[in-house]
Amino acid sequence: MKKSVFAAAFAALLTSTSAFAQMDELKIMAPAAPGGGWDQTARSIQSVLQAEGLASNIQVENVAGAGGTIGLQQFVNRSAGDPTATIVGGYVMVGAIIANAAPVTLADVTPIARLTGEYVVVIAPADSEIDNAEELAEAMRADPGSVTWGGGSAGGVDHIAAGLFAQAADVDPRALNYIPFSGGGEALAAILGGQVTVGISGYSEFASQIEAGEVKVIAITAPERQDYVDAPTFAEQGFDLDVQNWRMIAAAPDISDEERQTLTDTIRTMSESEAWATELETRGWVNTYLDGEEFQTYLNQEIEATTAILSDLGISQ
């Protein structure tokens, strides 16, 4: 009798564990073109969730434009109440919402977790005459408009980092000649094609070309050198620049507390897996996982701080 009761309880435990362990369906919107950081984040989530058996049917959709705000608006308008719908975003989206005066903001979604952080690198074509941060600064001091920067959307972390470098180089950031692209792939094509002087983005978006020697790294926005790339920091070259891009995942508006908790539990379990740790190491991403009320507080602080930075740099509308 006791054995029968134990067996029944054990079977019930397995059933409940299995129900948590695997979501039947998950949709992830990457609000940018293929090849960029958000696309890589979405597909990394897809890969690890599948490898860990946490979700069985995962679809990734790309909707590019305006720093993720076009995708964000589509997501909010069509996904309300859908517990299987998610969107990736981050610091770039915070800035783009402000810079573009977007009608939809991150207050319209359900934040789940901050996942990763990534330092920004400035690169130039391998045959560029600019080899270091001081030479880049000198070119900008001589003629700011002649130095073109190719990076992510206006108001995003790339744009902010470029503006902060201009400030550190004693150049008016309002004179910055910044050309925004909807994804890392487009920016990289412009750099390799000689259409811009330098490119700026997260390391992962340029990693292959850096390793192949097709481009050279001028500097990275980390406070100290990073193991995954042989490149100097801005700080060691005399420019006080410490900028880290962070990325997150959010759910649709109007889902229940229980549905939000299920997604949070699934993403947290993914973030603690060896497969996720390997993915981060491969891509040069830092694990900055944060969820719940702590993440909501952090997000509110980032929105406030970014609003102030964009105003100082003359980037916001």
Side-chain angles (χ1 to χ4, degrees), residues 248-262:
M248 67 167 195
I249 185 167
D254 302 327
I255 63 172
S256 69
D257 290 343
E258 182 179 0
E259 290 165 340
R260 179 178 187 171
Q261 191 59 52
T262 296

Side-chain angles (χ1 to χ4, degrees), residues 166-183:
Q167 277 190 332
D170 296 323
V171 174
D172 183 354
R174 291 171 175 78
L176 190 71
N177 190 352
Y178 185 85
I179 303 173
F181 294 89
S182 63

Side-chain angles (χ1 to χ4, degrees), residues 170-237:
D170 296 323
V171 174
D172 183 354
R174 291 171 175 78
L176 190 71
N177 190 352
Y178 185 85
I179 303 173
F181 294 89
S182 63
E186 292 182 11
L188 183 59
I191 296 158
L192 295 175
Q195 298 168 6
V196 294
T197 309
V198 292
I200 182 167
S201 193
Y203 166 75
S204 62
E205 302 196 28
F206 298 146
S208 296
Q209 286 69 31
I210 292 171
E211 292 170 4
E214 296 177 12
V215 297
K216 56 187 172 184
V217 180
I218 302 300
I220 186 168
T221 62
E224 56 191 21
R225 289 202 177 213
Q226 302 297 295
D227 293 338
Y228 53 82
V229 57
D230 182 17
T233 67
F234 279 100
E236 72 183 75
Q237 297 181 75

